[in-house]
Amino acid sequence: LGAVTPGDGGGGTFYYDSASIETQNDGTIVKPTAVTNGRWKRIFSDTINVKWFASKVVSGNWSPAFQAGIDLGNSIFIPSGSYRIDTPLTNNGDTSVVGESVSTVTLYTTSDINIFNFTNNGLITIRNLQLVASLAQTTGAAINIQSPGGVRRVGIIENIRILRTDPPHTFKYGIKIKNPRELVLRDILIEGNGSTTMVGIYLSSDQSAVSPTLENVKVYDAKIGLQIVSNSNPSNFGIEGVKISGSDFAGVDIGVLVDNTFGGPGFNFDNCHVNAFSGCISITNMQQVFITDCLVYMNGTGFNYGITFEGVSEASITSSKFFFIGSGNVYGILCNSSQTRNIKVAHNYFKLNNTGNQTGIWFGSNSSRNQALYNSVEGVSNGYDVFDQGSNNVLAGNIRFNTGT
């Protein structure tokens, strides 16, 4: 048995309902030819196999088959195989799409589209898939979710590989989500091609979106690894309570870029690695930022920074290592603007070059009430270990030395 040919995965057990006039979908409900009343109905539990709808595939385009399964509102199972998607897949409620194995299930597109173009009217699960753009995209995302926000939770995206092809084509966005309330991204690999404007992960909001979590997320060779844009206000903090752990943003132009219009609370960045050419971590207008146990490589040829804060307060940067492996002027940590205050920089190590104008920590003229405590800065010539232009800042126990001394 099969949907189109014997053994194609579309077979199953059906029963005949002679009174049914339900709309056929060619997967779970089949209407016999020249019959008004009467339908063959598939016997199944909760999970739908996308291959049940293989008769809807036209010229290799699997979009109609996937869409038919998603429209039923059940969990969708995708067996091992490669599936071309020509039109974006949409949803209307709770949606679960799970591949058999991340190493054996590939969804690819030859169009500049979002493969998944979901509106979060329900809880979303996407798991165990490879997603591939077979052209250089200018607008499309592998996964795009537009959440209405409020109390609506997004769900979980897990064990996903978003891969470049050869020639190295990529999506414009790997994962793009609006209002990522209680979003979980776990075990994600995203590849750019080193020369595009690809953004690995793009999170935005126009209202409160609390507790997005990223665990073991890897973004390589993109323009920006992670970008967070939050149009918030004093009564609506936008994206807050961000938790990022065990993640890599490497070979990117900018590692992590956070740009809020108002200072929302909560950004935790723990046990992560960033290797960037123009800047590693940039955070604007946020409160309660905590960066700890991170490895930061400044790999540019011009002005470069490890971490820069603008309008950040109540923050700490601790137990992290900063290495300058490029050329040009560099700041390990750069804190400026009148709202950058109460920053604690403690027990970090900076490895700079023995030549050049480089600075481990710089508190700008508009910063205040910050602390630089017990940091080690190796390899400074014309620069500084800690350069303080601010007011009421405390510097204590910092060590400056050149290589070999």
Side-chain angles (χ1 to χ4, degrees), residues 78-332:
I78 308 173
S80 296
S82 183
Y83 305 85
R84 196 182 82 228
I85 305 298
D86 288 354
T87 56
L89 305 176
T90 61
N91 72 321
N92 292 307
D94 289 354
T95 306
S96 174
V97 181
V98 178
E100 184 172 355
S101 168
V102 69
S103 61
T104 61
V105 178
T106 300
L107 276 62
Y108 71 98
T109 183
T110 58
S111 304
D112 192 357
I113 62 167
N114 306 320
I115 288 185
F116 293 100
N117 193 39
F118 284 176
T119 300
N120 182 35
N121 293 318
L123 197 63
I124 292 171
T125 300
I126 303 174
R127 184 179 285 129
N128 301 344
L129 300 175
Q130 291 187 133
L131 305 173
V132 176
S134 295
L135 81 166
Q137 294 206 4
T138 59
T139 61
I143 299 173
N144 179 58
I145 299 173
Q146 298 292 303
S147 170
V151 298
R152 183 73 67 183
R153 296 163 54 204
V154 173
I156 183 168
I157 301 172
E158 182 178 36
N159 205 20
I160 300 294
R161 297 176 184 172
I162 300 172
L163 305 178
R164 60 175 173 249
T165 57
D166 189 17
H169 296 147
T170 62
F171 295 93
K172 168 63 177 177
Y173 301 95
I175 298 174
K176 182 180 183 183
I177 300 179
K178 182 178 181 181
N179 296 323
R181 181 183 180 90
E182 297 182 37
L183 164 74
V184 176
L185 299 179
R186 181 184 297 128
D187 298 332
I188 308 292
L189 170 64
I190 301 174
E191 294 180 339
N193 65 15
S195 62
T196 68
T197 58
M198 181 188 188
V199 178
I201 298 171
Y202 183 87
L203 306 180
S204 66
S205 76
D206 57 10
Q207 55 185 288
S208 179
V210 301
S211 298
T213 299
L214 285 70
E215 300 173 352
N216 191 31
V217 172
K218 316 293 185 185
V219 181
Y220 300 126
D221 302 327
K223 180 70 174 179
I224 301 174
L226 167 65
Q227 185 171 6
I228 299 176
V229 178
S230 188
N231 295 321
S232 52
N233 57 63
S235 61
N236 172 16
F237 286 127
I239 298 174
E240 57 182 291
V242 180
K243 297 174 285 294
I244 305 170
S245 63
S247 296
D248 293 323
F249 305 93
V252 296
D253 192 48
I254 298 174
V256 177
L257 179 61
V258 181
D259 188 6
N260 295 325
T261 56
F262 185 79
F267 183 90
N268 291 270
F269 197 73
D270 174 61
N271 194 28
C272 294
H273 163 233
V274 182
N275 183 322
F277 300 109
S278 294
C280 294
I281 302 169
S282 174
I283 301 178
T284 301
N285 294 334
M286 202 156 200
Q287 306 171 39
Q288 300 164 17
V289 175
F290 304 101
I291 299 174
T292 185
D293 290 318
C294 290
L295 185 60
V296 178
Y297 285 91
M298 299 161 281
N299 198 15
T301 58
F303 174 77
N304 198 356
Y305 57 83
I307 298 173
T308 179
F309 285 165
E310 292 278 345
V312 173
S313 62
E314 304 169 32
S316 66
I317 304 169
T318 59
S319 304
S320 295
K321 294 181 171 62
F322 298 77
F323 294 88
F324 181 47
I325 57 176
S327 60
N329 296 331
V330 66
Y331 295 88

